């Protein structure tokens, strides 16, 4: 484990977690669950929660009343690792102040650091890796059994991949769901530790994904969001040519699903067949989520990213031409080792000129066992912060202008429910707004239920959000 990870401040901890709030009738013992990290982690948490409920555990939204507390951790970048550590420390206090008898760390950080977590965090009773989620109920019962306390590891190579029959207790909106179509990654990006934590790519069969979509539709889900570490590569391990296209053609046939949104497309292997499907099938949202990471040729090569600036330019233009009105979301890393001022200025100019709809900007961080950690020419943190802030400021201006251009238009909006800002407003999203990571459409006039698709005339716009009223 790296030194930064174990520099723990036990006096000051923070938590940005989502507690499972659903109370499910069942027998004791009680479970408190904290989900950290990405939507892929959320699906893992939902499967673990479903498994626990099926096994007779009772969930509580009050961690002080939970006999078992499970933290599903993230280990992607330094900030996420520290958040996971702080959350474990905070909930470890419940052994003195609450009902907690067992504290478990699960997920990516657990898979990556294993015994080091038990050594550095004596609060923990168990560490459960990404290959053991299906055993979570048995693990909890083993740790609750009356015996002398002993910290234990449940770690294996990560072959676990849930299927359509897996019990699942969904978090979030009833009408929108994440569907994990594959696990792991075959890429070799120099900055990324995901293959270390999640293993090689393993795709679910098309039939399994379709069966899950059909079940979700029967439960009232209108929007399914397809997630994996490398969605464009879906099916390659199953020998399916054009796997994502094949999968989407099967999913659009599922009755009552209205929006299908694939996330995380690698900028290669994007075929005309796939783009034509996006353009021609109304159920597939006109929304491309494609992290480019950088645009300078030297930086792309050092990152072990396939392709060049010329190839990326051509692909972005091709996507916009073949999918009229597409919303394009991307992400970049600043401060990767060797990022000179000239390379950064090239990226800055590119972001300015290309006018993407949404841009996320991440700071590079050294990650153990990745290729990048041994590279020279590291960039100072202050310079990285400055570059990220500058790119985000440029993108804010672009997003604000795009929002203003929407005023006067009528858009189809999926209603999510009362606004988080005020119950006097409804809140929803058009197809160019993904759940949780993009903006929203505030509806200030008209009535609708969560899950309804309504026509909204846009009357005002903020940087990332729109305002409008329902029209007949």
């Amino acid at each position: 484990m790296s030194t930064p990870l174990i520099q723990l401040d036990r006096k000051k901890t923070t938590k940005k977690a989502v507690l499972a709030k659903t109370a499910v009738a069942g027998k004791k013992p009680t479970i408190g669950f904290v989900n950290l990290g990405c939507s892929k982690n959320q699906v893992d948490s939902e499967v673990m929660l479903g498994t626990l409920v099926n096994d007779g555990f009772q969930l509580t939204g009050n961690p002080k009343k939970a006999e078992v507390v499970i933290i599903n951790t993230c280990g992607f970048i330094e900030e996420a690792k520290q958040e996971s550590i702080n959350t474990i420390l905070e909930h470890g206090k419940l052994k003195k102040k609450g009902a907690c008898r067992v504290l478990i760390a699960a997920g990516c950080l657990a898979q990556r650091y294993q015994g080091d977590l038990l050594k550095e965090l004596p609060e923990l009773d168990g560490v459960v890796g990404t290959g053991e989620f299906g055993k979570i109920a048995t693990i909890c019962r083993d740790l609750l059994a009356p015996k002398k306390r002993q910290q234990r590891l449940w770690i294996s190579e990560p072959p676990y991949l849930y299927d359509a029959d897996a019990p699942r207790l969904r978090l979030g909106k009833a009408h929108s769901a994440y569907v994990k179509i594959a696990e792991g990654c075959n890429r070799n990006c120099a900055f990324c530790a995901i293959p270390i934590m999640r293993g090689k790519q393993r795709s679910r069969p098309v039939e399994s994904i379709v069966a899950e979509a059909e079940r979700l539709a029967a439960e009232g889900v209108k929007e399914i969001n397809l997630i994996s570490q490398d969605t464009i590569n879906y099916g390659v391990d199953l020998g399916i040519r054009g796997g994502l296209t094949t999968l989407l053609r099967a999913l659009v046939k599922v009755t009552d699903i209205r929006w299908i949104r694939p996330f995380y497309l690698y900028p290669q292997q994007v075929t005309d067949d796939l783009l034509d499907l996006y353009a021609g099938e109304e159920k597939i949202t006109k929304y491309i989520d494609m992290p480019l990471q950088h645009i300078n040729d030297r930086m792309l090569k050092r990152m072990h990213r396939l392709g060049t600036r010329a190839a990326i330019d051509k692909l972005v233009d091709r996507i916009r031409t073949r999918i009229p009105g597409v919303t394009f979301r991307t992400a970049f890393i600043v401060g990767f080792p060797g990022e000179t001022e000239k390379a950064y200025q090239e990226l800055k100019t590119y972001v300015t000129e290309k006018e993407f709809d949404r841009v996320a900007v991440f700071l590079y961080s050294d990650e153990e066992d990745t290729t990048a950690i041994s590279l020279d020419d590291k960039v100072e943190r202050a310079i990285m912060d400055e570059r990220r802030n500058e790119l985000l400021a440029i993108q804010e201006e672009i997003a604000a202008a795009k929002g203003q251009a929407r005023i006067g238009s009528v858009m189809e909006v999926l209603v999510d429910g009362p606004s988080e800002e005020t119950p006097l407003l409804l809140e929803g999203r058009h197809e160019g707004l993904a759940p949780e990571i993009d903006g929203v459409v505030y509806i200030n006039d008209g009535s609708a239920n969560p899950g309804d698709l309504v026509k909204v005339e846009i009357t005002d716009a903020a940087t990332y959000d729109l305002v409008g009223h329902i029209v007949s």
Side-chain angles (χ1 to χ4, degrees), residues 165-456:
D165 296 325
R168 187 173 165 192
L169 182 62
R170 289 194 297 111
L171 307 171
K173 306 295 184 184
H175 54 272
S176 179
Y178 292 105
V179 174
K180 191 186 292 191
I181 64 174
E183 185 66 272
C185 184
N186 294 343
R187 309 285 181 186
N188 188 34
C189 298
F191 51 82
C192 185
I194 285 176
I196 300 169
M197 298 179 284
R198 295 284 180 168
K200 292 292 186 182
Q201 178 150 343
R202 304 174 308 284
S203 303
R204 293 173 57 191
V206 171
E207 296 78 12
S208 174
I209 299 168
V210 171
E212 182 179 12
E214 289 173 340
R215 187 183 75 240
L216 290 170
E219 294 172 1
V221 169
K222 296 293 191 299
E223 173 188 44
I224 58 173
N225 302 285
L226 308 182
I227 55 175
S228 71
Q229 277 78 31
D230 184 5
T231 300
I232 202 71
N233 222 17
Y234 167 78
V236 67
D237 52 307
L238 300 177
I240 306 174
R241 246 183 118 180
L244 181 57
T245 304
T246 300
L247 174 61
L248 290 174
R249 283 178 174 151
L251 286 174
V252 296
K253 298 176 183 177
V254 178
T255 305
D256 294 330
I257 293 295
R258 297 292 299 273
W259 285 357
I260 302 169
R261 188 188 308 274
F263 282 92
Y264 209 91
L265 305 181
Y266 193 92
Q268 274 209 331
Q269 301 161 265
V270 180
T271 64
D272 286 346
D273 281 350
L274 178 62
L275 298 183
D276 289 344
L277 195 61
Y278 265 84
E281 282 287 350
E282 64 176 17
K283 286 188 177 183
I284 302 174
T285 58
K286 309 303 180 280
Y287 182 97
I288 293 289
D289 173 50
M290 183 177 287
L292 300 178
Q293 311 300 9
H294 216 282
I295 200 62
N296 174 267
D297 282 343
R298 177 173 175 270
M299 297 310 302
L300 290 169
K301 187 174 182 180
R302 281 173 72 88
M303 288 178 168
H304 293 180
R305 298 285 289 182
L306 300 177
T308 62
R309 170 171 182 159
I312 291 172
D313 266 336
K314 185 177 179 180
L315 175 59
V316 171
D317 291 344
R318 183 166 143 248
I319 288 171
R320 286 173 161 171
T321 298
R322 297 188 78 100
I323 312 175
V326 67
T327 295
F328 203 124
R329 179 185 179 89
T330 190
F332 297 104
I333 295 172
V334 293
F336 188 85
E339 186 185 52
T340 62
E341 181 63 23
K342 183 179 179 181
Y344 165 69
Q345 289 297 328
E346 183 180 353
L347 174 60
K348 175 183 170 182
T349 300
Y350 185 77
V351 170
T352 304
E353 292 178 349
K354 280 297 181 181
E355 297 188 344
F356 293 103
D357 298 275
R358 296 288 185 270
V359 172
V361 183
F362 295 96
L363 301 183
Y364 168 78
S365 65
D366 277 336
E367 298 298 326
E368 298 90 340
D369 301 318
T370 63
T371 306
I373 197 169
S374 61
L375 293 176
D376 56 5
D377 298 328
K378 296 290 169 66
V379 179
E380 294 180 7
R381 172 62 186 255
I383 294 175
M384 286 195 274
D385 285 333
E386 182 180 335
R387 290 174 179 176
R388 174 169 64 177
N389 292 339
E390 190 170 31
L391 289 183
L392 291 177
I394 291 169
Q395 184 56 36
E396 279 192 7
E397 291 186 12
I398 293 169
K402 286 178 176 285
Q404 290 295 316
R406 298 275 195 183
I407 294 175
S409 65
V410 176
M411 313 185 74
E412 187 174 53
V413 170
L414 177 64
V415 178
D416 285 329
S419 171
E420 295 182 2
E421 302 296 326
T422 169
L424 299 177
L425 299 176
L426 289 175
E427 193 172 286
R429 293 172 290 109
H430 61 75
E431 66 175 335
L433 298 174
E436 301 175 6
I437 59 173
D438 293 327
V440 299
V441 178
Y442 294 110
I443 301 172
N444 58 17
D445 189 22
S447 61
N449 297 314
D452 286 349
L453 279 159
V454 297
K455 297 293 184 181
V456 173

Side-chain angles (χ1 to χ4, degrees), residues 1-2 5 81 109-117 368:
M1 187 183 292
S2 68
L5 185 64
K81 289 187 287 188
L109 195 76
Q111 182 72 28
R112 192 171 181 188
Y113 294 108
Q114 304 181 10
D116 289 338
L117 278 181
E368 298 90 340

Side-chain angles (χ1 to χ4, degrees), residues 158-169:
Y160 179 76
L161 181 60
Y162 84 104
D163 58 31
D165 296 325
R168 187 173 165 192
L169 182 62

Side-chain angles (χ1 to χ4, degrees), residues 117-182:
L117 278 181
L118 292 181
K119 179 181 177 182
E120 299 295 337
L121 298 169
E123 295 93 337
L124 286 173
D125 296 284
V127 169
V128 180
T130 57
E132 303 289 347
F133 294 145
K135 303 176 184 176
I136 190 65
T138 300
I139 290 169
C140 288
R141 293 200 182 278
D142 284 350
L143 288 172
L144 282 168
K147 58 188 174 185
K148 183 178 179 181
R149 183 178 184 270
Q150 180 181 6
Q151 292 180 301
R152 292 182 61 186
L153 281 172
W154 281 268
I155 301 289
S156 65
E157 291 299 314
Y160 179 76
L161 181 60
Y162 84 104
D163 58 31
D165 296 325
R168 187 173 165 192
L169 182 62
R170 289 194 297 111
L171 307 171
K173 306 295 184 184
H175 54 272
S176 179
Y178 292 105
V179 174
K180 191 186 292 191
I181 64 174

Side-chain angles (χ1 to χ4, degrees), residues 38-157:
C38 64
S39 55
K40 294 176 282 292
N41 251 29
Q42 179 175 321
V43 172
D44 294 336
S45 293
E46 291 171 353
V47 171
M48 283 191 277
L49 287 168
T51 301
L52 289 163
V53 169
N54 273 13
D55 201 72
F57 287 86
Q58 181 176 339
L59 306 185
T60 175
N62 184 352
K64 291 183 179 180
K65 296 183 179 180
E67 295 171 80
V68 179
V69 176
I70 302 172
I71 315 292
N72 193 16
T73 62
C74 179
F76 182 48
I77 57 177
E78 191 60 39
E79 287 85 352
K81 289 187 287 188
Q82 197 59 53
E83 181 187 31
S84 295
I85 294 292
N86 290 343
T87 304
I88 292 168
L89 290 174
E90 182 174 339
H91 286 77
K93 297 174 184 176
L94 297 178
K95 287 192 168 183
K96 296 180 179 179
K97 299 180 180 179
C100 182
R101 294 165 52 198
V102 171
L103 180 62
I104 295 173
C108 288
L109 195 76
Q111 182 72 28
R112 192 171 181 188
Y113 294 108
Q114 304 181 10
D116 289 338
L117 278 181
L118 292 181
K119 179 181 177 182
E120 299 295 337
L121 298 169
E123 295 93 337
L124 286 173
D125 296 284
V127 169
V128 180
T130 57
E132 303 289 347
F133 294 145
K135 303 176 184 176
I136 190 65
T138 300
I139 290 169
C140 288
R141 293 200 182 278
D142 284 350
L143 288 172
L144 282 168
K147 58 188 174 185
K148 183 178 179 181
R149 183 178 184 270
Q150 180 181 6
Q151 292 180 301
R152 292 182 61 186
L153 281 172
W154 281 268
I155 301 289
S156 65
E157 291 299 314

